[in-house]
Amino acid sequence: MHIDLPMIWAAIIGLGVFLYVLLDGFDLGIGLLFPFFYGEGDREVMLNTVAPVWDGNETWMVLGGACLFAAFPVAYGTLLPAVYLPLIAMLCGLIFRGVAFEIRAKARRTQHLWELAFMLGSAMATFCQGVILGTLLQGIAIVDGRFAGTAFDWLSPFSLFCGLGLLATYATLGCTWLVMKTDGELQRRMRVMVKPLVLTLLLVIGAVSLWTVLGQQAVADRWFARHNFVFFAPVPILVLACVAGIVRFNTRGHDTLPFVLTQAILFLGYSGLLISIFPYIVPPSLTIWAASSPPSSQKFALVGVLIILPIILAYTGLAYWVFRGKVRHGDEGYH
Amino acid sequence: MNHVGDALLLARIQFAFTVSFHIIFPAISIGLASYLAVLEALWLRTGKVVYRELFFFWSKIFAVGFGMGVVSGVVMSYEFGANWAGFSQVAGAVTGPLLAYEVLTAFFLEAGFLGIMLFGWTRVGPRLHYLATLMVAVGTLISTFWILASNSWMQTPQGFALVDGKIVPVDWFKIIFNPSFPYRLMHMAIAAFIVAAMLVGACGAWHLLRGRRDEAVKKSFSMAMWMIVCVVPIQIAVGDAHGINTRKYQPAKIAAIEGLWETEKGGTSLNLVGWPDMQDEVTRYAVKIPHLGSLILTHSWDGEIQGLKDFAPRDRPDSTIVFWSFRIMVGMGFLMLFLGLLGLALRRGGRLYESRFLQRFALLMGPSGLIALLAGWVTTEAGRQPWVVYGVLRTADASSALSAQQVGTSLMIFVIVYFVVFGTGIYYMLKLMGKGPSLGDTTDTHGDDTGKGAARFDHRPLSRPTDPIDE
C-alpha cells in the first residue's frame, strides 16, 4: 500500500498549528484584555485561569517549528526568511510575555512593569502571528526553492489587516474563556464585551474571505469552480450560526457555550483557510510534496511523533480536566 | 566587505549569541538534574534530613534554569529556518528529524515527570517520586544525546547521499553514531556535571564565607569538592581522546587550535601561548615546548601533525580565535583540577570547611564550568569553519538571502531582550543561591503547597520557587 507521507505530516502539522491557535489563542487573549481590567483581584483571577496550562499551550509552537523543519525543510527555509522581522518580533513578544507571567507572581515593587511586559508581549506576539498568516495567504515569491522576495514583502495592507484581525480573534477567545472560568462581577463585565468582540470577529472573517477571493484567482476558483461551493457552503453558513449562537447564549447567561462556539468559529475559519490554500504549504507555488524532506527523514521522525504525540495530547486533556471549573477572587493562585 | 558578507557575519554573531545564552541553562539543568537524583537517592537510603533540604533547595534553581532553557530554546527552533535557509534546505533532512526528536524528548519530560518531581513530593509515594527525578535526569541526557548527534554529524558527517545538491539520509544509525559523536557526547555531558559541581561548590563556599556551618552548607560543599576532584581528571582524559579523534577527522581544526603553520618533521612542538596571525601565516610571540604537541595529540614522541599551510587559505578556520578559546578552556580545566586537589588535601588536614583561601577560590571558580563550556563550544564551532557541514556545505552557502539591515536589526533586538529577560532569570537564580538551603526551621513550601487548596497539577518549572525576586 502506498503511504503518502507528506499528507500525514501535513495533517500532523495542520493539527499542531490548529491546537496552538486554539489554546495559546485564549491565553494570549487574556493579555489583550488585561488593559481593561485594573483591579488588583481581577487581574489575579484572569491569570489564575490560565496559570496551570499556558506554557503547555505554547509548547505547540516549538513542536510546530521542529516538525516543519523535519518534514518540510523547504517550507521552513522559505517561509521564515520571508516573514523575518515579524517572526523575530513575535518570538521576542512570546519570550517577554512568558517570563513576565512568571516573574510577575514573584515581584512586589516591580509588578506593574511585568504586567506591562505581559500586555505588550501578548499584543506583539498576536499581531505578528496575524501578519505572518496574512503574508502566507497573499503568497510568497519562491525561485529554485529559495525565498526570492525582499525584506518588506510581508508588509501590505492585507497582512496588517490580518494582524489586527487576529487581535480581535484572540481577544474574543480570551473573553469567552473568561466568561466560562469566572463568575460574579468579573464575569458580568466579560459578558458585556462578548457581543462587540464577536461581531468584530465576524467582520474580520468576512473581510479576509472577500479580500482573498477577490484578490486571488486561485482562491476564487477553489471556492466557486463548478459545484465546489455547494460542498463548501456549510463553512460560511455555520460561521454565521455560531456567531448568532454566541450572542444568544451569552445574553441568556450560559457559561460554556460561548467559548465552545468561538472555538467552532476558529475551526471553521481555519478550515476555510486550508480549503483556500491546499495543497500548497507556501502559496502560490510550493506544494506539500515539493516542500517535503526525503521519505527516509519523514519516516524516521514520524516514529517519534506517533509515540509522543498521543501522550502529550492525553496529558493536555488531563490537565484541562483537572483544572476545570471556576476561578474566584481570593482563590489561592497556582503561582 | 560586501553586503552579503556583512549579513553572513551578523547572522553568525547572532547565532553565536543566542546559542551561547541558551546553552548556559540546559548545561545547568543537565548537571543539576543528575545531582538532584543523587541527593534524593541519598535521602531515601539514609533518611538524613540534610539531603532532603538540599534536594528542595537545588530543585528550585534547577526549575528556573529549566524554564529559561525552554524559553530561550524557542528562538533556536526558528532561527535555523530564518537565518540559515541554505542550511535548512541542504541539510534539513538530517538535522530536522534529530532536532524534532530532541523537542519531543523535552516535551515528553515536561508532560509528566517534571511536574511530579517539582510539585509531587507529598502527592505521590517516595518511589514514584524518585522514579520521576531519575527520569528527568535521564531525559535531560537524552535531549543532550539528540542535540549532540546533530552537532557531531555536522562536524563529521556520514551515512548520507548527495542528491541534486541536497543531503539525503541513507543510514540513520551511521548518521547518529558518527565518528566524533561518542567523544563529544561524553565531553558535553561531563562538562554539564562540572558546571553544576562548580555552582554547588561556589554556593557552599559563599555561605561558608558568611559564617554558616550548618549541615546542608557543609554537605553540599563537600559533595561538590568530591565531584570536582573525581570528574575533572576524567574530563581531561575524555578531552584528550576527543582531540585525537579531531586530529583524525578535522586536521585543519587541530592545526588552528595549535597555531601550527608548518607540518614539522620528527616531532611537533606545542605552542604554549602565542598570537596566530592569519594574514602573515605565522604564530607570533610563540612559547614552544618541543615534542609536546606530538605527545599530546599522537601520544608519541615524533608523531606528525599537519600544519595550516597544508590547507588552502579558503579552507582554514580562524586560528586566532580557536587558539585562545581552546587555551581558556584548558586553563579553566587545570584550575578546576587544582581546586579539586586542594580540597582533597585540606580534607586530610580537617580544614575543608575552614580554609578561607579554598572558599574564596571555590567562589571565584563558580562560573568556571560555564566559561570552559562556552570556550570549548567556540573552539569546536569556530574550528569547523569555513564549513557548516564539514566538507559538504560551506557556511557562506548556508545563510538566508537576508540583508545586513534585517539581520543587524534582529541581532540588536535579541541582545536587548536576552539581557533583560535572561539577565532577570540569572539574577533570580543567583538570588536563590544567595539565600541558601533552609536551616530546618523551614518556611519553604517544598512545592507541595500545603494549604493552597485545590489539588495541583501544575508543571510549570518557573512556578516552583516562590521566593520574591525584588525584595
Side-chain angles (χ1 to χ4, degrees), chain A residues 71-87:
Chain A
F72 302 109
V74 184
Y76 181 77
T78 47
L79 174 62
L80 301 193
V83 295
Y84 191 71
L85 292 176
L87 178 80

Side-chain angles (χ1 to χ4, degrees), chain A residues 9 50-56 58-71 73-78 80-82 84-85 87-92 94-96 98-99 101-103 105-111 114 144-147 149-152 154 290 292-306 308-309 311-312 315 318-320 322-323 332-335, chain B residues 14 68 70-83 85-101 103-105 107-108 110-112 115 146 166-170 172 176 397-403 405-407 409-411 413-414 417-418 420-422 424-425 428 451-471:
Chain A
W9 271 104
V50 289
V53 290
W54 81 266
D55 77 326
E58 224 151 75
T59 50
W60 294 100
M61 166 68 85
V62 187
L63 198 65
C67 286
L68 193 65
F69 188 19
V74 184
Y76 181 77
T78 47
L80 301 193
Y84 191 71
L85 292 176
L87 178 80
I88 303 289
M90 179 198 78
L91 291 174
C92 290
L94 286 178
I95 290 177
F96 246 106
V99 174
F101 192 108
E102 299 290 351
I103 302 285
K106 310 180 201 311
R108 305 281 183 272
R109 287 180 293 110
T110 52
Q111 193 170 54
W114 294 108
D144 294 335
R146 290 199 172 212
F147 171 56
T150 59
F152 289 96
W154 55 270
S292 280
S293 54
S296 51
S297 299
Q298 291 196 334
K299 261 186 221 159
F300 177 67
L302 191 60
V303 175
V305 168
L306 289 183
I308 308 269
L309 201 60
I311 298 175
I312 297 178
Y315 181 83
L318 186 61
Y320 278 92
V322 168
F323 287 107
E332 281 288 352
Y334 301 110
H335 297 295
Chain B
Q14 180 173 321
M68 293 285 152
V70 172
V71 178
S72 55
V74 179
V75 175
M76 306 307 309
S77 80
Y78 283 87
E79 211 170 6
F80 292 111
N83 279 333
F87 171 73
S88 305
Q89 312 266 4
V90 176
V94 168
T95 48
L98 295 177
L99 291 185
Y101 266 96
V103 170
L104 288 167
T105 315
F107 284 174
F108 179 66
E110 257 198 287
W146 291 113
K166 286 189 181 183
I167 289 165
V168 175
V170 176
W172 280 101
I176 294 168
D397 301 325
S399 60
S400 302
L402 297 166
S403 66
Q405 284 85 348
Q406 277 177 295
V407 188
T409 308
S410 64
L411 174 61
I413 296 172
F414 277 134
V417 170
Y418 272 50
V420 171
V421 168
F422 301 118
T424 308
Y428 190 45
K452 279 213 169 183
R456 279 180 63 146
F457 199 69
D458 197 347
H459 61 283
R460 292 170 305 132
L462 270 171
S463 59
R464 167 67 184 89
T466 48
D467 313 58
I469 190 168
D470 54 2
E471 275 175 0

Side-chain angles (χ1 to χ4, degrees), chain A residues 209-233:
Chain A
S209 310
L210 272 180
W211 208 322
T212 45
V213 166
L214 295 179
Q216 295 180 40
Q217 194 54 43
V219 176
D221 288 350
R222 171 60 52 81
W223 283 85
F224 297 109
R226 296 201 299 176
H227 305 300
N228 280 8
F229 192 70
V230 178
F231 296 109
F232 298 146

Side-chain angles (χ1 to χ4, degrees), chain B residues 137-155:
Chain B
V138 172
T140 57
L141 290 171
I142 298 176
S143 272
T144 317
F145 176 95
W146 291 113
I147 291 294
L148 271 286
S150 174
N151 181 270
S152 298
W153 179 83
M154 288 160 68
Q155 303 275 358

Side-chain angles (χ1 to χ4, degrees), chain A:
Chain A
M1 197 183 88
H2 174 71
I3 299 174
D4 194 345
L5 280 169
M7 276 297 281
I8 296 174
W9 271 104
I12 291 171
I13 290 171
L15 176 75
V17 171
F18 179 63
L19 283 174
Y20 172 75
V21 172
L22 198 64
L23 300 176
D24 213 25
F26 69 75
D27 66 51
L28 281 163
I30 286 172
L32 302 177
L33 296 172
F34 231 56
F36 303 103
F37 297 84
Y38 357 86
E40 169 71 17
D42 289 346
R43 288 189 165 179
E44 203 68 40
V45 170
M46 288 164 78
L47 288 180
N48 281 344
T49 63
V50 289
V53 290
W54 81 266
D55 77 326
N57 296 345
E58 224 151 75
T59 50
W60 294 100
M61 166 68 85
V62 187
L63 198 65
C67 286
L68 193 65
F69 188 19
F72 302 109
V74 184
Y76 181 77
T78 47
L79 174 62
L80 301 193
V83 295
Y84 191 71
L85 292 176
L87 178 80
I88 303 289
M90 179 198 78
L91 291 174
C92 290
L94 286 178
I95 290 177
F96 246 106
R97 122 178 227 289
V99 174
F101 192 108
E102 299 290 351
I103 302 285
R104 181 197 167 277
K106 310 180 201 311
R108 305 281 183 272
R109 287 180 293 110
T110 52
Q111 193 170 54
H112 58 286
L113 282 178
W114 294 108
E115 287 184 350
L116 190 67
F118 178 68
M119 289 184 253
L120 291 178
S122 303
M124 171 123 93
T126 307
F127 181 74
C128 291
Q129 283 175 13
V131 169
I132 291 169
L133 178 70
T135 310
L136 184 70
L137 288 177
Q138 74 190 9
I140 287 166
I142 296 174
V143 176
D144 294 335
R146 290 199 172 212
F147 171 56
T150 59
F152 289 96
D153 275 16
W154 55 270
L155 187 63
S156 72
F158 178 70
S159 66
L160 294 180
F161 181 79
C162 287
L164 293 176
L166 204 65
L167 285 170
T169 312
Y170 286 177
T172 314
L173 265 173
C175 188
T176 50
W177 162 265
L178 286 168
V179 165
M180 179 172 79
K181 296 295 284 186
T182 61
D183 58 8
E185 176 62 14
L186 186 59
Q187 189 195 38
R188 195 193 61 75
R189 289 171 64 198
M190 290 295 167
R191 283 204 192 278
V192 175
M193 298 178 77
V194 167
K195 193 171 170 184
L197 277 173
V198 80
L199 291 179
T200 314
L201 178 58
L202 183 65
L203 275 176
V204 165
I205 294 175
V208 170
S209 310
L210 272 180
W211 208 322
T212 45
V213 166
L214 295 179
Q216 295 180 40
Q217 194 54 43
V219 176
D221 288 350
R222 171 60 52 81
W223 283 85
F224 297 109
R226 296 201 299 176
H227 305 300
N228 280 8
F229 192 70
V230 178
F231 296 109
F232 298 146
V235 177
I237 293 170
L238 283 172
V239 168
L240 283 172
C242 287
V243 170
I246 291 169
V247 174
R248 194 179 165 82
F249 288 120
N250 185 51
T251 34
R252 283 189 179 181
H254 206 287
D255 282 356
T256 47
L257 277 177
F259 181 61
V260 172
L261 289 175
T262 313
Q263 289 181 310
I265 291 182
L266 209 67
F267 175 74
L268 293 165
Y270 189 70
S271 322
L273 296 182
L274 292 187
I275 290 172
S276 295
I277 66 172
F278 187 83
Y280 295 98
I281 189 165
V282 182
S285 60
L286 191 67
T287 65
I288 55 172
W289 297 280
S292 280
S293 54
S296 51
S297 299
Q298 291 196 334
K299 261 186 221 159
F300 177 67
L302 191 60
V303 175
V305 168
L306 289 183
I307 295 170
I308 308 269
L309 201 60
I311 298 175
I312 297 178
L313 281 172
Y315 181 83
T316 308
L318 186 61
Y320 278 92
W321 175 250
V322 168
F323 287 107
R324 68 193 183 282
K326 301 276 185 191
V327 178
R328 298 189 169 85
H329 284 265
D331 275 3
E332 281 288 352
Y334 301 110
H335 297 295

